[in-house]
Amino acid sequence: MKRKWHHPESEQTRGTLVRGIGELEDTPEFRGWLEREFPAGAAEMRDGEEQEKSRRSFLKLMGASTALAGFGLAACRRPEQHIRPFSKAVEWIIPGKPLFYATAMPRLGGCTPLVAITHEGRPTHLQPNPLHPKGRGVDSFATASILELYDPERSSAYLFKGNRSS
């Protein structure tokens, strides 16, 4: 159990808050050190009302600059891309029902047999092929390869040395 020590407060410091022993003693040496160390902040340390005014004015200035920065970025948007639906749906696709395709992913020592799960023609998940003799599991790279298909930075055309190719 945690013990709580109840130290009696001295009459000198009751109700006042100090930042250190030097401020509590308030010696001329401390004041001289304070003026040398914090020339602009020394007056704020003495006067609490000035300190509150400077904090308030700082927060007002920062709030206004943040609001104006938001107005400047209001016109920065991604370009809109419209996804068009099928004009004629494929016969064997049922919305909401997945289709399974056997596939393979090339690796250094051969390939990894996979089953691709698709919804409405879009691949959504890869899992190991249980019917293949080497279908033991899927590593994290194969699982993450689905995200490459939906990457906005992905090339939409065939390129050869940076130029479009057929």
Side-chain angles (χ1 to χ4, degrees):
M1 187 166 161
K2 194 174 188 180
R3 291 187 181 181
K4 293 182 181 178
W5 299 97
H6 300 288
H7 295 287
E9 292 184 19
S10 66
E11 295 296 325
Q12 203 176 27
T13 60
R14 188 178 305 233
T16 60
L17 297 175
V18 292
R19 294 184 180 136
I21 294 174
E23 187 178 358
L24 179 65
E25 293 174 351
D26 201 24
T27 60
E29 292 86 20
F30 174 73
R31 287 289 169 197
W33 173 81
L34 193 63
E35 291 291 334
R36 283 190 312 274
E37 188 72 21
F38 306 104
E44 289 181 7
M45 194 169 175
R46 284 191 213 130
D47 190 7
E49 190 175 317
E50 283 290 321
Q51 187 176 7
E52 289 300 320
K53 286 181 184 176
S54 67
R55 284 182 186 169
R56 185 173 290 137
S57 61
F58 173 75
L59 288 175
K60 284 181 186 176
L61 180 64
M62 291 308 294
S65 63
T66 305
L68 290 174
F71 286 128
L73 295 175
C76 296
R77 281 192 223 154
R78 285 181 154 183
E80 288 185 18
Q81 295 179 349
H82 300 284
I83 299 174
R84 293 178 182 87
F86 287 119
S87 59
K88 183 177 179 184
V90 183
E91 292 178 15
W92 58 86
I93 290 182
I94 300 170
K97 186 176 178 185
L99 285 177
F100 300 91
Y101 293 98
T103 185
M105 177 173 262
R107 291 282 173 219
L108 187 62
C111 67
T112 304
L114 300 170
V115 173
I117 302 173
T118 63
H119 288 87
E120 284 85 34
R122 295 184 176 155
T124 56
H125 184 67
L126 290 175
Q127 61 187 22
N129 190 347
L131 301 176
H132 195 277
K134 293 187 178 180
R136 289 184 292 273
V138 179
D139 60 348
S140 59
F141 295 106
T143 306
S145 66
I146 289 288
L147 298 175
E148 293 176 4
L149 296 173
Y150 301 107
D151 186 13
E153 304 279 326
R154 185 176 182 214
S155 178
S156 60
Y158 293 107
L159 301 176
F160 178 69
K161 295 184 180 179
N163 299 323
R164 286 186 165 234
S165 177
S166 60

